[in-house]
Amino acid sequence: MTTQSKLGGGMAWINWLLATAFVVFVFTFQTGYAITSIGMKEDLGLTVAQVGLIGSIYTWAFAVAQFVSGSVLDRFGIRWVLPLACAVVAAGGLVFANAGDPKVLVIGQVMMALGAAFGFVGAGFAGGAWFGMVKYGIMFAWVQFVASFSAIIGQRILGTMVTDFAWNELLNGLALGGCALSVVMFLVMR
């Protein structure tokens, strides 16, 4: 089968949907931090400054990882990189959700950021690889739409659930969802 005959087919949609699901997972976890930070602050005895610093560490680590994420995807493709990146985000989420002090929170944030740096870039890469350059722009736009719309829904759901569940229970649930997504990506993604 030629590359041209694969473009836009069933496997293209599966790969794009999995890559986009990874972006949704990343966006939901980022939203989850904002929603659960008050409970985290109270349970761990953190100051507002510490919560802000811990949150900003994610952004710095993410920005640094962006320097290499595209090159890694160019070299190795999405087949192994995206499932591994999703697993790193999920593992970082588990570390973060089960942290007992600020140092462990930072480790979790860095792990999540290193994996998440491949999310949006990887979904764009999947769109270009599986739908061709002619549809690259529209597929990338759909990634952004789905991720943004999902973040709105995720904020609403997490905002409601935070009254019934502890911050770490919510984040553990999200991280376990990321573990499941990573397994599906490892098994299905090409």
Side-chain angles (χ1 to χ4, degrees):
M1 185 181 280
T2 66
T3 304
Q4 188 62 30
S5 64
K6 292 187 220 177
L7 293 179
M11 196 53 155
W13 283 103
I14 290 169
N15 280 287
W16 182 84
L17 286 170
L18 287 171
T20 302
F22 177 35
V23 177
V24 168
F25 169 56
V26 167
F27 274 44
T28 304
F29 225 108
Q30 290 171 335
T31 301
Y33 179 80
I35 291 170
T36 60
S37 63
I38 295 170
M40 179 187 67
K41 175 188 167 298
E42 292 169 358
D43 285 356
L44 299 179
L46 303 173
T47 66
V48 173
Q50 286 174 310
V51 170
L53 177 63
I54 291 165
S56 71
I57 287 170
Y58 176 95
T59 306
W60 281 99
F62 184 88
V64 170
Q66 287 291 282
F67 283 115
V68 298
S69 63
S71 297
V72 170
L73 284 162
D74 284 340
R75 173 72 174 98
F76 298 106
I78 62 171
R79 170 68 180 105
W80 298 108
V81 173
L82 290 189
L84 183 60
C86 186
V88 170
V89 175
L94 290 170
V95 168
F96 187 89
N98 296 290
D101 65 70
K103 291 175 188 159
V104 179
L105 290 170
V106 167
I107 292 168
Q109 285 284 59
V110 170
M111 288 174 67
M112 287 187 291
L114 293 178
F118 292 90
F120 197 68
V121 174
F125 188 94
W130 283 95
F131 291 91
M133 292 311 294
V134 172
K135 297 199 178 195
Y136 176 77
I138 189 69
M139 297 311 291
F140 217 157
W142 274 108
V143 170
Q144 182 62 49
F145 172 78
V146 170
S148 297
F149 190 71
S150 297
I152 293 167
I153 294 169
Q155 285 175 351
R156 181 76 172 126
I157 292 170
L158 290 174
T160 302
M161 292 178 74
V162 77
T163 60
D164 297 324
F165 297 95
W167 69 275
N168 53 349
E169 291 173 328
L170 287 174
L171 296 182
N172 270 317
L174 284 173
L176 291 175
C179 290
L181 176 60
S182 180
V183 168
V184 171
M185 291 170 82
F186 272 119
L187 295 174
V188 177
M189 190 168 260
R190 298 288 171 257

